[in-house]
């Protein structure tokens, strides 16, 4: 069809050239009159046959009317020269109309083919769909250039199928993410190179990309030898998108947690390392679980779709927001709400599970501003404001979720402290007995310091230092207030009991001093329990 239309365009240009060069020719007026009279004769023949082109019929009718008027009515105002100009204008206009009608018919045929395949197209892979989308766009552009007008019918069909493709792919990702989250057991896994490559390609600046080159590029370069570099040696945007596509192909299948752990153990033995490989963003490492890596892959696919279908960028951004909302909400239900105990068979939700959930949520919260910048580049100004509000709102939800996880960790420690404090009166009764000569810290002091030390080790291995300090700042405050209040209400009736209390307080204070905190007091983490010691045992003894 495109070849025929190109030939028709050449014919149109030839006719235009002939008509535009009639001026000044000695036979121009007589030729125009003869053609007009011949057209009038063909009008009679057209009544008995359907073989004459409709556009020519219109020209014949107009031309014959003009001839009849010029010769039958004796109108001296219409000369052969005027007749020639009017006739040429009609021919040029109808010439253009005929070519546009041919292009419009071609668009209609193409739209029918797309319509027949409409159930298939949404289920294609992105590159497969883009092949059809781009070929259609090229055909539309070429034929509209030939016809000289826009064709809205085929553009509407193509846009409708592109939206159907986005909708189907989105629903597929949402269903996949729900299934992945319900299977998640919140165990830490090593981060494969391809996921680090995705993050590096999408979200890191050129300088950061070069800094991470030693860690990532060695594994990527052999599989991507033709990557194009910019003038400064950094990957160009086209090369980065190509690398993203390759990474997506490498990670197309959803890694099962069990097989991933086995391969990670093998890789660790081969490397001779026991430490877990983290996911780095702007120089900060994040511990990851399986569902977090799948989210990274899905976001990279959405970015690639956004770049490939710029006309539907607003739709893509809206779908990304929905994916982020689902991940955040479901993660909250599974970990903070303990839903994972029902759907994935966890016996309990531990501080380790909470810490890993915090890391995944923190990582996602950190990349959302970069994600917003990338996705909104192609969004029309009319929809920009609303989409910015949606993205900012979901980012705030992630921040609140992370803070709630940290509050839950503090609450766990507070509840454990209250459990141990309930048994403190019975311990004090044994202190008041004459036969009690033990001088070691009580079971209460040993148990609570052991548990807070365990929490410190778990969180320090998983969370970032600032998060650990913020959590234990609250734990220190709770320990000071709750323990000092509990000790102040105890009935200490003997010097030995007082010594036992002092021994417990010193043991607890030593533990408090060692907890991570941003406290600038001297001694560190000073608080109400220190005041209790100074008041009841004297400043000299307290020191």
């Amino acid at each position: 069809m495109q070849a025929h239309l190109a030939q028709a365009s050449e014919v149109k240009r030839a006719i235009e050239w002939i008509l535009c060069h009639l001026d000044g020719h000695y036979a121009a007026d007589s030729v125009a009159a003869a053609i007009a009279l011949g057209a009038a004769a063909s009008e009679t023949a057209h009544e008995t046959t359907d073989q004459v082109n409709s556009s020519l019929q219109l020209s014949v009718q107009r031309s014959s009317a003009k001839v009849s008027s010029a010769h039958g009515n004796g109108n001296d105002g219409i000369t052969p020269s005027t007749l020639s100009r009017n006739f040429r204008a009609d021919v040029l206009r109808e010439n253009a109309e005929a070519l546009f009608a041919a292009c419009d018919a071609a668009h209609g045929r193409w739209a029918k083919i797309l319509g027949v395949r409409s159930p298939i197209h949404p289920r294609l892979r992105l590159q497969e769909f883009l092949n059809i989308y781009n070929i259609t766009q090229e055909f539309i552009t070429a034929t509209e250039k030939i016809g000289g007008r826009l064709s809205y019918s085929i553009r509407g069909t193509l846009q409708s199928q592109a939206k159907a493709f986005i909708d189907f792919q989105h629903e597929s990702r949402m269903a996949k993410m729900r299934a992945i989250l319900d299977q998640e057991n919140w165990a830490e896994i090593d981060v494969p190179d391809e996921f680090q490559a995705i993050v590096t390609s999408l979200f890191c600046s050129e300088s950061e990309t070069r800094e991470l080159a030693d860690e990532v590029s060695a594994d990527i370069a052999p599989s991507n030898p033709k990557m194009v570099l910019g003038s400064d040696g950094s990957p160009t945007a086209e090369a980065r998108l190509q690398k993203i596509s390759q990474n997506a192909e490498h990670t197309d299948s959803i890694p099962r947690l069990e097989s991933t752990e086995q391969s990670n153990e093998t890789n660790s033995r081969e490397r001779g390392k026991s430490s877990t490989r983290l996911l780095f963003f702007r120089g900060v490492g994040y511990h990851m679980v399986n569902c977090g890596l799948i989210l990274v892959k899905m976001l990279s696919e959405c970015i690639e779709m956004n770049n490939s279908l710029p006309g539907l960028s607003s739709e893509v951004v809206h779908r990304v927001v929905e994916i982020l909302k689902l991940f955040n909400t479901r993660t909250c239900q599974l970990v903070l709400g303990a839903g994972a105990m029902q759907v994935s068979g966890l016996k309990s939700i531990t501080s380790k599970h909470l810490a890993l959930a915090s890391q995944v949520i923190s990582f996602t919260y950190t990349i959302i501003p970069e994600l917003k910048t990338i996705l909104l580049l192609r969004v029309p100004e009319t929809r920009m404001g609303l989409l910015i509000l949606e993205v900012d709102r979901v980012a705030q939800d992630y921040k609140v979720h992370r803070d709630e996880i940290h509050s839950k960790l503090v609450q766990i420690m507070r509840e454990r402290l209250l459990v141990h404090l309930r048994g403190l009166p019975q311990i004090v009764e044994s202190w008041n007995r004459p036969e009690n000569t033990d001088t070691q810290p009580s079971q209460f002091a040993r148990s609570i310091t052991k548990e807070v030390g365990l929490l410190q080790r778990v969180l320090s291995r998983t969370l970032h230092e600032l998060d650990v300090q913020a959590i234990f700042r609250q734990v220190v405050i709770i320990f000071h207030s709750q323990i000092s209040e509990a000790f102040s209400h105890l009935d200490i009736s003997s010097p030995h009991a007082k010594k036992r209390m002092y021994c417990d307080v010193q043991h607890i204070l030593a533990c408090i001093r060692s907890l991570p905190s941003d406290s600038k007091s001297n001694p560190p983490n000073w608080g109400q329990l220190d005041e209790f010691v100074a008041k009841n045992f004297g400043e000299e003894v307290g020191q």
Side-chain angles (χ1 to χ4, degrees):
M1 286 191 294
Q2 193 168 337
H4 283 301
L5 292 174
Q7 185 178 11
S9 178
E10 292 297 326
V11 173
K12 172 178 174 289
R13 279 197 290 270
I15 294 173
E16 289 173 347
W17 187 91
I18 293 172
L19 292 176
C20 291
H21 287 78
L22 281 176
D23 292 336
H25 197 277
Y26 71 93
D29 291 339
S30 59
V31 169
I35 293 175
L37 290 172
S42 69
E43 182 184 18
T44 304
H46 179 68
E47 295 177 358
T48 59
T49 179
D50 294 328
Q51 303 300 317
V52 180
N53 184 276
S54 60
S55 62
L56 180 59
Q57 177 187 3
L58 179 60
S59 175
V60 167
Q61 291 171 347
R62 292 176 178 173
S63 300
S64 62
K66 293 172 184 176
V67 172
S68 175
S69 175
H71 295 278
N73 296 332
N75 188 345
D76 295 334
I78 299 180
T79 65
S81 178
T82 304
L83 174 64
S84 177
R85 286 196 300 269
N86 291 340
F87 177 72
R88 277 185 289 175
D90 287 343
V91 171
L92 290 173
R93 181 178 62 256
E94 292 162 10
N95 196 28
E97 290 290 342
L99 186 59
F100 173 72
C103 291
D104 193 53
H107 292 162
R109 296 294 181 90
W110 194 291
K112 286 182 179 180
I113 296 176
L114 292 177
V116 170
R117 292 175 55 85
S118 59
I120 304 172
H121 290 166
R123 291 172 168 78
L124 298 177
R125 293 177 179 271
L126 177 60
Q127 292 303 322
E128 294 171 340
F129 179 79
L130 285 178
N131 288 338
I132 297 170
Y133 184 88
N134 292 334
I135 289 173
T136 305
Q137 286 282 24
E138 291 170 6
F139 179 76
I140 293 173
T141 302
T143 52
E144 284 181 343
K145 184 177 180 181
I146 292 172
R149 298 183 192 174
L150 295 177
S151 178
Y152 296 102
S153 60
I154 189 172
R155 286 183 179 275
T157 301
L158 184 62
Q159 195 78 347
S160 174
Q161 292 206 3
K163 187 177 183 303
F165 174 80
I166 290 175
D167 290 340
F168 181 86
Q169 297 296 321
H170 173 67
E171 292 302 324
S172 175
R173 288 190 181 94
M174 293 284 279
K176 186 186 296 184
M177 180 56 71
R178 291 188 186 95
I180 290 295
L181 284 169
D182 287 348
Q183 296 170 9
E184 183 62 67
N185 62 6
W186 302 97
E188 183 175 2
I189 62 174
D190 275 346
V191 177
D193 292 332
E194 54 264 32
F195 290 96
Q196 182 62 67
I198 290 174
V199 174
T200 304
S201 300
L202 290 178
F203 304 120
C204 290
S205 64
E206 294 174 356
S207 60
E208 290 167 335
T209 302
R210 285 193 290 269
E211 290 174 1
L212 289 172
D214 293 338
E215 300 178 14
V216 180
S217 298
D219 295 324
I220 302 173
S223 62
N224 192 16
K226 298 181 180 180
M227 182 167 60
V228 182
L229 299 180
S231 58
D232 59 350
S234 60
T236 62
E238 182 180 356
R240 291 171 67 184
L241 289 176
Q242 180 184 0
K243 184 164 65 174
I244 294 167
S245 302
Q246 293 175 349
N247 294 336
E249 293 175 1
H250 293 327
T251 59
D252 183 66
S253 59
I254 300 175
R256 298 294 300 173
L257 193 57
E258 294 80 10
S259 60
T260 304
E261 286 180 334
Q262 292 173 0
S263 63
N264 289 336
E265 290 176 3
T266 304
N267 293 336
S268 296
R269 286 194 298 268
E270 292 175 355
R271 295 191 303 267
K273 297 188 298 183
S274 59
S275 60
T276 304
R277 298 176 63 187
L278 308 182
L279 185 62
F280 285 90
F281 174 69
R282 297 199 182 284
V284 179
Y286 294 84
H287 298 263
M288 296 301 290
V289 296
N290 191 56
C291 63
L293 296 181
I294 300 303
L295 178 64
V296 169
K297 177 176 179 292
M298 287 186 178
L299 293 176
S300 73
E301 293 171 344
C302 290
I303 291 175
E304 185 180 7
M305 185 183 299
N306 185 69
N307 294 332
S308 303
L309 302 170
L312 292 168
S313 182
S314 301
E315 299 290 338
V316 175
V317 176
H318 184 66
R319 302 304 187 277
V320 169
V321 169
E322 289 185 1
I323 291 175
L324 290 173
K325 284 182 178 178
L326 169 67
F327 186 85
N328 187 53
T329 302
R330 190 57 180 152
T331 298
C332 183
Q333 294 170 348
L334 292 172
V335 182
L336 275 178
M341 295 174 63
Q342 285 75 42
V343 297
S344 58
L346 293 181
K347 295 181 179 179
S348 64
I349 303 297
T350 66
S351 57
K352 180 68 172 178
H353 296 144
L354 290 166
L356 287 171
S358 170
Q359 283 279 279
V360 176
I361 294 299
S362 296
F363 169 79
T364 309
Y365 171 70
T366 305
I367 67 171
I368 284 178
E370 296 289 334
L371 194 64
K372 179 175 70 172
T373 301
I374 295 171
L375 292 175
L376 294 180
L377 283 175
R378 303 173 186 271
V379 172
E381 288 291 336
T382 53
R383 298 201 61 184
M384 183 78 72
L386 180 61
L387 291 175
I388 288 176
L389 288 176
E390 286 190 19
V391 177
D392 290 344
R393 192 177 296 115
V394 77
Q396 181 62 24
D397 291 342
Y398 271 80
K399 182 179 183 300
V400 171
H401 185 185
R402 182 194 62 188
D403 294 343
E404 288 178 348
I405 293 175
H406 295 173
S407 297
K408 180 65 175 179
L409 290 166
V410 174
Q411 181 186 348
I412 288 174
M413 202 64 250
R414 182 178 182 274
E415 291 174 352
R416 294 306 304 159
L417 174 61
L418 293 177
V419 168
H420 290 295
L421 285 175
R422 282 196 287 268
L424 187 58
Q426 289 77 17
I427 294 176
V428 172
E429 286 182 8
S430 66
W431 291 350
N432 289 323
R433 295 170 188 165
E435 66 274 11
N436 191 317
T437 59
D438 190 4
T439 58
Q440 298 299 316
S442 67
Q443 182 64 37
F444 161 76
R446 293 196 304 270
S447 298
I448 195 60
T449 55
K450 179 181 179 181
E451 291 191 15
V452 75
L454 177 61
L455 180 65
Q456 177 190 353
R457 288 193 296 274
V458 170
L459 299 188
S460 297
R461 292 171 183 169
T462 308
L463 297 182
H464 299 146
E465 182 180 357
L466 292 179
D467 292 334
V468 175
Q469 291 178 354
I471 291 171
F472 279 100
R473 183 194 317 126
Q474 299 179 59
V475 171
V476 166
I477 293 173
I478 291 172
F479 269 45
H480 273 297
S481 61
Q482 296 289 335
I483 296 176
S484 60
E485 181 180 0
F487 279 166
S488 64
H489 290 88
L490 294 177
D491 181 19
I492 304 299
S493 58
S494 67
H496 177 72
K498 190 173 183 179
K499 289 181 180 179
R500 292 296 304 275
M501 176 186 286
Y502 178 73
C503 181
D504 272 19
V505 170
Q506 289 300 317
H507 184 76
I508 294 171
L509 280 175
C511 175
I512 291 176
R513 300 274 187 263
S514 66
L515 294 179
S517 176
D518 54 2
S519 172
K520 295 180 174 57
S521 61
N522 188 20
N525 296 329
W526 188 91
Q528 288 178 291
L529 196 56
D530 293 280
E531 295 176 355
F532 175 81
V533 171
K535 179 180 179 181
N536 291 273
F537 301 98
E539 295 183 4
E540 192 172 316
V541 175
Q543 294 173 357

